[in-house]
Amino acid sequence: KYDKIGWNVSYDFNESDFRVCMQILDTYLTKAIANNDTRIPWGSLKYLIGEVMYGGQAIDNFDRRVLRTYMNEYMGDFIFDTFQPFYFHHSPDVSYYIPTTQVDAQQQGLPMKEMCLGISRQYIESLPLTNTPEIFGFHPNAEIGYYTKSARDIWEQLIELQLQSGEATGGMNRDEYIDSTAADILKRVPPQYDTDKVWKTFGGESISPTSVVSLTTLRRVLKGEVGMSNEMDDLARALYNGQLLPMWKKLIPATKKNLATWVDHFLRRNQLYNGWVNEGEPNIMWLSGLHIPESYLTALVQVTCRKNGWPLDKSTLYTQVTESGRCCFITGLYLEGASWDVQKCCLLRQRPKELIQELPVMKVIPIESHKLKLQNTLRCPVYVTSDRRNAMGVGLVFESDLSTTEHSSYWVLQGFCLILNTD
């Protein structure tokens, strides 16, 4: 329901996995009762359920961290503590807990098994039919994200179903609207780079230009000067619907933006590259504007290792969010699943109706791994888009370190992460 909030890769967890885990629990608990063993083998149960049944399908380290957190939070002798009752979730409206065997007078004289079963059924019947995000450890904003995504999906399907002929906005017909959109984009497209100057400044070999679908050719098609092809038809449909052409998506960094917001993003990227070529490397790097951002961070580690004589395979990065050695400053990071306290420089619970927050400038510092000792910090994955990563690992840029005053399990269950591009 909540898509990838909490998970970085989509998994096909099903009813069979749940039933097998129930059988494992029944087997171990029955064996403990038969052997009069007062100690429940929590270690074995956590491993079989969290590491084998579900963890065996998890291919992402951060997803395994989620599973381990659930096991540690909800499995242990503390759930039977009578002095400090344990709640899986507690709020003024509803509480999730393990019912006790304290019964009223009407149930006295019944066998213990039937009493426990009756109490459990009665308690389950009292629970609400729909669950709120807080029950799973999420912020209430997760519900907003779910409805936003559903509305976006419906809107995209309605756009695909609309008539591709007739009048468009402002009384223009379809061809006039497409021609106007193409002309507007062409006016905003910056001139081509002087590749000779770029390669002379930074070194390298000459490259051949890439052939892309031309907006100029499309305008000629609309005027009847050139015949319509499949590529031109796809481009016209994308411009009419305000969407990015799939062929363009193959040549640009991963994005979920529509055509209008992507053009603005493209112009800002061009401004970044122009400044880099003409004025040198920027003091604060806009990481979201790089085509392959992880390559920039890798180069930072390589340059530092070469300068200090460190072994490359024993070096890493750590980060600090700002207000000696070689380091770089990056921007363009957005926090999802949490907020950032600028005054205390630490993670903060999300504000209502604020799904993402832009993070202040971050400092990235290369260091030898054995010298890295961090306290009160939590590793946070950085992804290109809100899709996070796929099964092949595409989408993960690097891992950052964020300060926190809360226990790490709180943020893990909130499904927090950093992304480079908003939708």
Side-chain angles (χ1 to χ4, degrees), residues 139-142 144 335-344 346-360 410-411 414:
H139 192 276
N141 286 348
I144 301 176
L335 189 59
E336 184 180 48
S339 295
W340 185 257
D341 191 327
V342 179
Q343 302 297 328
K344 298 181 180 179
C346 65
L347 290 171
L348 187 69
R349 181 176 169 84
Q350 258 189 335
R351 300 178 182 88
K353 300 182 181 180
E354 187 176 316
L355 301 184
I356 60 172
Q357 177 188 351
E358 186 171 4
L359 205 65
Y410 177 82
W411 300 115
Q414 289 275 308

Side-chain angles (χ1 to χ4, degrees), residues 244-260:
L244 271 177
L245 185 67
M247 181 176 291
W248 289 8
K249 288 186 177 181
K250 297 178 182 179
L251 305 174
I252 63 176
T255 181
K256 297 185 68 178
K257 299 179 182 293
N258 57 30
L259 181 61

Side-chain angles (χ1 to χ4, degrees), residues 87 275 336 361:
Y87 292 93
E336 184 180 48
V361 174

Side-chain angles (χ1 to χ4, degrees), residues 1-2 5 70 74 88-89 94 96 130-147 349-350 413-415:
K1 178 178 179 179
Y2 302 110
I5 298 180
Y70 272 118
Y74 298 139
F88 295 95
H89 170 71
V94 63
Y96 286 75
T130 57
N131 297 322
T132 60
E134 295 97 323
I135 294 175
F136 306 102
F138 297 150
H139 192 276
N141 286 348
E143 195 81 25
I144 301 176
Y146 164 71
Y147 287 120
R349 181 176 169 84
Q350 258 189 335
L413 298 183
Q414 289 275 308

Side-chain angles (χ1 to χ4, degrees), residues 36-279:
N36 293 323
D37 192 351
T38 58
R39 299 182 59 185
I40 298 176
W42 293 114
S44 300
L45 289 173
K46 289 179 181 179
Y47 178 78
L48 291 174
I49 296 175
E51 299 290 343
V52 178
M53 288 306 304
Y54 289 105
Q57 302 179 52
I59 59 176
D60 183 84
N61 290 332
F62 289 102
D63 289 340
R64 294 192 185 96
R65 183 175 70 174
V66 172
L67 290 170
R68 287 195 297 268
T69 301
Y70 272 118
M71 295 297 102
N72 294 331
E73 286 292 309
Y74 298 139
M75 299 185 72
D77 290 331
F78 54 84
I79 65 177
F80 303 114
D81 193 338
T82 56
F83 296 98
Q84 185 176 359
F86 174 78
Y87 292 93
F88 295 95
H89 170 71
H90 180 67
S91 68
D93 299 325
V94 63
S95 297
Y96 286 75
Y97 59 91
I98 299 177
T100 62
T101 56
Q102 296 178 357
V103 297
D104 55 26
Q106 294 180 351
Q107 293 176 311
Q108 294 293 339
L110 293 176
M112 179 62 69
K113 182 177 180 180
E114 292 187 13
M115 285 195 300
C116 293
L117 187 59
I119 294 172
S120 299
R121 285 175 175 171
Q122 183 179 1
Y123 169 70
I124 293 173
E125 290 294 332
S126 67
L127 295 176
L129 296 178
T130 57
N131 297 322
T132 60
E134 295 97 323
I135 294 175
F136 306 102
F138 297 150
H139 192 276
N141 286 348
E143 195 81 25
I144 301 176
Y146 164 71
Y147 287 120
T148 301
K149 181 179 181 300
S150 300
R152 185 185 296 116
D153 292 340
I154 293 174
W155 178 251
E156 291 177 354
Q157 292 172 10
L158 289 175
I159 290 177
E160 292 294 335
L161 291 174
Q162 71 175 333
L163 293 175
Q164 297 296 319
S165 60
E167 292 188 354
T169 306
M172 296 185 295
N173 61 36
R174 180 177 182 271
D175 290 351
E176 290 174 346
Y177 180 79
I178 294 173
D179 183 70
S180 174
T181 304
D184 181 64
I185 294 176
L186 286 171
K187 289 179 183 178
R188 303 178 64 185
V189 170
Q192 287 186 331
Y193 282 101
D194 185 350
T195 54
D196 293 336
K197 177 183 177 181
V198 173
W199 289 113
K200 184 177 180 180
T201 303
F202 294 97
E205 301 177 357
S206 60
I207 56 175
S208 60
T210 304
S211 299
V212 297
V213 177
S214 172
L215 292 174
T216 305
T217 304
L218 176 63
R219 299 190 69 190
R220 294 180 61 193
V221 169
L222 297 175
K223 294 177 182 178
E225 299 175 2
V226 182
M228 176 68 78
S229 64
N230 291 334
E231 291 181 347
M232 292 295 107
D233 187 53
D234 291 340
L235 176 57
R237 184 181 297 106
L239 292 180
Y240 186 69
N241 294 336
Q243 300 171 339
L244 271 177
L245 185 67
M247 181 176 291
W248 289 8
K249 288 186 177 181
K250 297 178 182 179
L251 305 174
I252 63 176
T255 181
K256 297 185 68 178
K257 299 179 182 293
N258 57 30
L259 181 61
T261 54
W262 177 82
V263 171
D264 294 336
H265 186 264
F266 167 76
L267 294 176
R268 187 181 174 189
R269 289 182 61 211
N270 179 74
Q271 184 180 2
L272 169 68
Y273 294 144
N274 275 332
W276 199 342
V277 171
N278 299 321
E279 303 173 9

